[in-house]
Amino acid sequence: MAENDNTNVTGVFRSFMSPAGYTQRAKADKTRCDLHVTPAADSITGTCEYYYRPLGCAYTETVEKVSTASAWQTVKAFATSWDPWTDKELVHRLLHRREQLIPPNCTDSDWSRHSNFMMRHIGCGHKPPSYYVSYGYYYCSTYGAKLKPRLSDAGKDWLDNARWYLQSNMEDGLSQNMRGNVIQMRSRKPGNGSFTMEVKQFELELVEDTFQTFAFKTHPLAYLDGGLASLPSWDLAKLTMQPNIQEWGDGRTWEQAVDSGKVVLPQMINDSDMDDPIGKALGRLMAK
């Protein structure tokens, strides 16, 4: 092996000459910091498990022990403060499956963006973006369980499509960051927007606020490409009631609502009966 070839090294051991009766083991520095983000498998893109799989107990216990009204705030606080490396059960399980979790297009049952990050950053102090656990997994699973059954067939299809576009856009941004310092993204369908963002190569996942800003910029593209503008007004009304009130304190949430509204509102005015009070109220909301 070449001197600097440490592609598959997960730890560094140092041995020294010592007396035969010396029983203390040599110390090992178990460190790994692989900045190359490997692509997700197509079969996983579009699922909530893409972001995170609650393999340990910490996340599940956090959500189950709080009321619905305070769940989002609790999950958000948990995600930003939680150090997954202190969860011994989780760490033990993932480390024993490391080789299965880091290859490109992995389909292992324990793979997620969160677990993949952990197995590429061992002992180097980097934590997975809290977005994976909080906004990504929490909203994905909550919308699927609580919102989807209340939507029309068109609304259910939109939810599935938007989820796929959200994760596909994330994959695109991560891939672009492996190649350079600029992320450029345009909607898959004409007229649904675009954005450009400068991010130092290999560091999109490493800076918490940068990663969340990037993720939020992809949301309007995914919502609109998924068919948001063509949904009936009763589905739109249910959707606008979903984001927890605490989330609207983040300017990036307002930004994505405005960007989506620029496309949704004209379509809604053309397609809906504006004598409908729900349509009127939604129109005023989206126009702000």
Side-chain angles (χ1 to χ4, degrees), residues 124-160:
C124 59
H126 292 141
K127 291 171 55 179
S130 66
Y131 180 96
Y132 290 152
V133 175
S134 57
Y135 202 103
Y137 182 78
Y138 173 78
Y139 270 118
C140 184
S141 55
T142 299
Y143 277 28
K146 298 181 180 180
L147 174 63
K148 189 173 182 178
R150 299 168 51 216
L151 297 176
S152 67
D153 289 343
K156 291 175 182 176
D157 288 342
W158 171 82
L159 195 61
D160 291 339

Side-chain angles (χ1 to χ4, degrees), residues 7-280:
T7 303
N8 296 312
V9 176
T10 57
V12 179
F13 288 80
R14 296 179 176 85
S15 60
F16 304 92
M17 298 294 292
S18 59
Y22 190 72
T23 59
Q24 183 174 346
R25 293 183 178 181
K27 294 182 178 180
D29 299 323
K30 299 179 180 178
T31 60
R32 180 66 169 154
C33 190
D34 184 356
L35 300 180
H36 287 81
V37 181
T38 50
D42 290 340
S43 60
I44 293 176
T45 303
T47 68
C48 294
E49 291 76 14
Y50 163 89
Y51 297 110
Y52 174 68
R53 295 175 189 264
L55 306 174
C57 299
Y59 177 89
T60 303
E61 292 177 350
T62 297
V63 176
E64 290 179 349
K65 289 181 179 179
V66 298
S67 67
T68 302
S70 60
W72 165 243
Q73 195 66 15
T74 302
V75 169
K76 183 178 179 181
F78 164 79
T80 54
S81 62
W82 178 45
D83 182 356
W85 286 100
T86 62
D87 188 331
K88 294 182 180 179
E89 179 183 343
L90 174 65
V91 171
H92 181 268
R93 177 168 179 164
L94 295 182
L95 284 176
H96 279 76
R97 302 178 65 80
R98 180 181 183 271
E99 294 304 318
Q100 291 96 319
L101 297 175
I102 58 176
N105 305 307
C106 172
T107 57
D108 189 272
S109 59
D110 283 348
W111 187 95
S112 68
R113 272 274 152 250
H114 192 272
S115 61
N116 176 269
F117 182 99
M118 285 185 65
M119 293 301 93
R120 290 185 290 104
H121 297 267
I122 300 174
C124 59
H126 292 141
K127 291 171 55 179
S130 66
Y131 180 96
Y132 290 152
V133 175
S134 57
Y135 202 103
Y137 182 78
Y138 173 78
Y139 270 118
C140 184
S141 55
T142 299
Y143 277 28
K146 298 181 180 180
L147 174 63
K148 189 173 182 178
R150 299 168 51 216
L151 297 176
S152 67
D153 289 343
K156 291 175 182 176
D157 288 342
W158 171 82
L159 195 61
D160 291 339
N161 292 335
R163 180 184 299 165
W164 185 88
Y165 278 116
L166 283 167
Q167 297 174 14
S168 180
N169 288 346
M170 184 166 287
E171 288 296 297
D172 187 12
L174 289 167
S175 176
Q176 288 188 46
N177 188 238
M178 295 300 99
R179 303 193 298 268
N181 300 320
V182 177
I183 297 174
Q184 293 180 317
M185 200 165 294
R186 184 177 299 278
S187 61
R188 316 292 177 90
K189 300 177 181 179
N192 287 341
S194 63
F195 73 87
T196 300
M197 184 175 177
E198 292 189 10
V199 184
K200 189 174 180 180
Q201 188 177 15
F202 305 122
E203 294 191 4
L204 178 58
E205 276 190 317
L206 303 187
V207 183
E208 174 77 14
D209 192 63
T210 299
F211 187 85
Q212 185 149 315
T213 296
F214 154 74
F216 272 49
K217 283 182 177 293
T218 70
H219 289 183
L221 307 185
Y223 298 158
L224 295 169
D225 284 347
L228 181 67
S230 61
L231 290 183
S233 60
W234 50 87
D235 278 340
L236 289 170
K238 292 171 185 175
L239 291 171
T240 58
M241 296 302 293
Q242 287 305 304
N244 291 283
I245 191 66
Q246 298 95 331
E247 182 198 333
W248 290 94
D250 190 324
R252 290 168 295 198
T253 301
W254 284 104
E255 181 182 343
Q256 61 177 298
V258 170
D259 288 345
S260 299
K262 290 176 182 177
V263 178
V264 174
L265 181 60
Q267 185 67 41
M268 187 182 67
I269 291 174
N270 289 333
D271 294 346
S272 68
D273 179 1
M274 291 310 290
D275 288 332
D276 175 10
I278 294 178
K280 287 182 178 179

